[in-house]
Amino acid sequence: MNDMSIPRPLSPPGSPYTPDRMAPDFAALFEHAADGIFVVDAERLVVFANLAFARMVGEERASILGRSPADFIVSELESPPPQMEALHRDGSTLAMRGLRHSAGSQVPVEILSTLMADCSMLCIVRDTGRHSNEERRLGERRREVEAQMLLGQKMEAVGRLAGGVAHDFNNLLSVMLSAAESLSATLPAGSTQHEDVRDIRDAAERGAALTRQLLAFGRKEVRAPELLDLNAVVANVARLLQRALGAHIKTGIHRHSGPLAIVADPSQLEQVIVNLAINARDAMPDGGTLTVTTSSRVLVAADAGAAGVMPGTYVALTVRDNGVGMDEATRVRAFEPFFTTKAAHLGTGLGLSTVYGIARQSGGGVMLVSNLGEGTEVTILLPRAATSGMHASVAALSGEHAVVGPRGRVLLVEDEPRVRAQARRLLERSGYAVTDAPDGAEGVLQFRARRGEIDVVVSDVMMSTMGGVEMVAQLRAITPGLPVVFVSGYTANDRDLPLDDCTVFVPKPYTIDALCEAIDALIVR
């Protein structure tokens, strides 16, 4: 039998270091230690060696006993005994060139010695090469996690800024859309000015689309999450990709063998795939291959930290191209909004930032791997969901056609004067009796003064004096079950709105059709 396979420490018979004389706990500790351990007696001969030391020198442990440590240690000095004498004398850590392996190689080590009462010496041998590699790997992983944390902090700060800008911009767009609708209603049929009004409305709607991208990046976009199979979403989008990418791009779709259940907004997820595909197309101007892969992954703490998510089971969507790739400077800024390497007319710089925002908003993360000349790989990680049950969602109410239904009395609460004026004008033109208020406190007063006369409340969420949620709580203390339509440039989820059968949410900028549809649905319920 090869002695190196014996699972116990080896010592000469009668030695105090034989297993029968050592405490069981110490014997196991010495035997299974990752570092090499050997003991030298007062005669400067090895009387004990553990398995790790035997592996370092590449010999059977039985052949190590009774020999001088100088047979194994490659000293910095020409003569090894003085080095060992220093160990006996000082009991200190000494840098050695290495251990001499039986195969002729050397193992870089450092030896820590402790002088015992009986003049024997306990030596612990650390493989500095192995530990350096481990420390380097740990250092690289730590830097990856730190980089992910810094990216998350930076994106969070920029996201809050983007969300705030989008919220204010939505108020301006609400005025534009309302004014355009109001003006259109006053123009004679067939008027040439209808075309001008249509241009105003089209420009405002394009602005609204831009704010949706900003809100997606800032994780404040209105979402309608539902239980989905990622494979089905990819299959649906795949039919459109080849036409969008062009004949010079080959597309490969590799789907996981089983269903991949996630809770996400399907339109957002499709937007993620399209954005990544368009980026890949632009990175392959002379043609190439785009590969879309779905898979299931279990992330432990280290990998999850590098991806900016919690450990657990995830569904992965990976989009890879073999295009021009990115250098380090571009890669670290890739998710920043409005950062782009494309010409001004070819992109807004919101593609990857939108992908990042949607992934984070859905409880997941993004991993980016790219090198110049080697292509780019983007992986979206989303928490894997149970295949049974359905999560509640808040659907954004929208529509282009008014729902004809019974009109009623509306309390309109809005702190933006122009938005309030336009909304009142359009609601009255649509057949509602409207009482308005500039903030929540005034809204409570108006409601008390008209108790029993208000059918529904339409309220902004964020207002300078008493917000919409606090106001509604006071109103429902007076009239339980009072119908309420919340409107905001932020989202229902972002503001934790108390949505139920009596409460709906309409995002700004809204059309009068969408607002009327929501009001009518509550009044006739």
Side-chain angles (χ1 to χ4, degrees):
M1 176 185 293
N2 187 326
D3 183 59
M4 293 186 70
S5 67
I6 299 176
R8 59 183 178 84
L10 196 62
S11 308
S15 166
Y17 300 100
T18 55
D20 59 326
R21 297 192 179 192
M22 295 175 67
D25 290 345
F26 280 107
L29 178 64
F30 280 20
E31 175 60 17
H32 297 293
D35 292 330
I37 299 175
F38 69 91
V39 177
V40 179
D41 65 9
E43 302 300 322
R44 310 297 192 261
L45 298 176
V46 177
V47 294
F48 167 82
N50 73 347
L51 181 59
F53 182 77
R55 286 172 174 163
M56 287 180 178
V57 297
E59 297 199 23
E60 296 180 353
R61 287 191 288 182
S63 68
I64 297 173
L65 303 181
R67 296 169 61 181
S68 168
D71 292 344
F72 311 106
I73 296 174
V74 181
S75 172
E76 295 288 351
L77 305 177
E78 293 183 4
S79 177
Q83 191 83 331
M84 293 307 302
E85 289 300 325
L87 285 173
H88 274 282
R89 182 179 63 254
D90 302 329
S92 58
T93 301
L94 295 178
M96 299 291 179
R97 181 175 296 153
L99 289 181
R100 188 178 289 109
H101 193 276
S102 61
S105 60
Q106 291 184 12
V107 180
V109 296
E110 148 178 297
I111 300 178
L112 174 65
S113 69
T114 301
L115 196 60
M116 312 296 286
D118 61 353
C119 291
S120 62
M121 187 171 57
L122 174 68
C123 298
I124 299 176
V125 185
R126 169 157 293 195
D127 183 339
T128 57
R130 178 175 65 84
H131 283 276
S132 295
N133 289 335
E134 291 178 355
E135 290 170 359
R136 185 173 60 254
R137 286 193 295 270
L138 287 174
E140 291 173 352
R141 183 62 57 85
R142 185 169 57 252
R143 285 191 293 273
E144 289 176 0
V145 173
E146 289 173 351
Q148 184 66 40
M149 290 177 62
L150 288 173
L151 174 63
Q153 291 170 357
K154 181 169 67 174
M155 294 298 104
E156 184 69 27
V158 178
R160 284 196 296 269
L161 174 62
V165 170
H167 171 259
D168 291 339
F169 194 36
N170 273 336
N171 276 332
L172 299 176
L173 291 171
S174 295
V175 175
M176 295 178 192
L177 285 171
S178 298
E181 291 190 22
S182 178
L183 182 60
S184 179
T186 63
L187 292 174
S191 170
T192 57
Q193 293 176 311
H194 270 294
E195 186 175 346
D196 295 331
V197 173
R198 187 174 65 250
D199 289 343
I200 294 172
R201 178 168 179 166
D202 289 346
E205 289 176 344
R206 286 197 298 272
L210 180 60
T211 62
R212 283 194 294 273
Q213 287 185 288
L214 284 172
L215 289 169
F217 168 73
R219 286 178 275 164
K220 303 178 187 301
E221 187 186 23
V222 175
R223 300 168 59 235
E226 57 186 78
L227 191 63
L228 303 170
D229 177 8
L230 178 61
N231 285 333
V233 176
V234 170
N236 185 54
V237 177
R239 290 191 287 267
L240 308 175
L241 285 184
Q242 193 60 61
R243 289 199 300 271
L245 296 176
H248 66 301
I249 304 293
K250 295 181 180 179
T251 304
I253 307 295
H254 305 287
R255 288 181 289 169
H256 187 66
S257 56
L260 296 173
I262 56 174
V263 174
D265 184 318
S267 63
Q268 284 191 338
L269 203 54
E270 291 174 357
Q271 184 182 2
V272 164
I273 299 171
V274 171
N275 281 3
L276 292 177
I278 295 301
N279 275 1
R281 179 201 65 188
D282 294 343
M284 300 182 289
D286 298 324
T289 301
L290 171 75
T291 305
V292 180
T293 305
T294 64
S295 60
S296 179
R297 296 189 187 182
V298 177
L299 299 184
V300 297
D303 295 331
V309 296
M310 298 297 291
T313 303
Y314 288 83
V315 168
L317 169 68
T318 301
V319 178
R320 176 170 179 77
D321 67 67
N322 58 353
V324 296
M326 305 179 193
D327 58 21
E328 177 66 17
T330 302
R331 190 165 59 249
V332 298
R333 299 189 61 192
F335 295 115
E336 292 183 11
F338 303 112
F339 173 76
T340 180
T341 57
K342 303 174 185 177
H345 65 287
L346 293 180
T348 62
L350 286 172
L352 279 179
S353 62
T354 301
V355 168
Y356 179 90
I358 290 173
R360 298 294 291 173
Q361 189 179 21
S362 301
V366 183
M367 298 177 67
L368 171 66
V369 178
S370 184
N371 292 291
L372 279 178
E374 298 179 8
T376 298
E377 179 180 281
V378 181
T379 299
I380 311 300
L381 295 165
L382 299 173
R384 188 158 188 172
T387 55
S388 62
M390 190 67 74
H391 289 245
S393 65
V394 179
L397 295 176
S398 62
E400 292 302 321
H401 304 287
V403 176
V404 178
R407 282 357 194 189
R409 293 158 295 186
V410 176
L411 173 60
L412 173 66
V413 187
E414 168 64 63
D415 64 346
E416 276 287 331
R418 288 175 298 178
V419 176
R420 185 171 68 252
Q422 287 287 355
R424 174 167 186 157
R425 186 180 305 120
L426 291 174
L427 285 171
E428 288 178 337
R429 184 174 295 154
S430 300
Y432 300 97
V434 180
T435 298
D436 63 15
D439 53 55
E442 180 65 23
V444 173
L445 294 177
Q446 294 281 6
F447 187 83
R448 289 182 183 276
R450 293 167 173 76
R451 183 178 302 187
E453 298 179 7
I454 301 299
D455 296 312
V456 63
V457 175
V458 176
S459 176
D460 194 9
V461 178
M462 299 296 295
M463 292 179 287
S464 56
T465 304
M466 189 183 294
V469 175
E470 183 182 354
M471 179 196 69
V472 168
Q474 293 192 24
L475 299 186
R476 283 180 172 167
I478 302 170
T479 305
L482 175 68
V484 174
V485 178
F486 281 118
V487 296
S488 178
Y490 287 107
T491 70
N493 289 342
D494 187 54
R495 295 301 170 191
D496 296 323
L497 298 183
L499 301 176
D500 51 37
D501 291 341
C502 301
T503 315
V504 297
F505 175 72
V506 176
K508 290 181 178 179
Y510 51 77
T511 65
I512 190 60
D513 290 348
L515 186 59
C516 291
E517 180 180 356
I519 293 171
D520 289 344
L522 288 175
I523 292 178
V524 301
R525 65 181 174 81

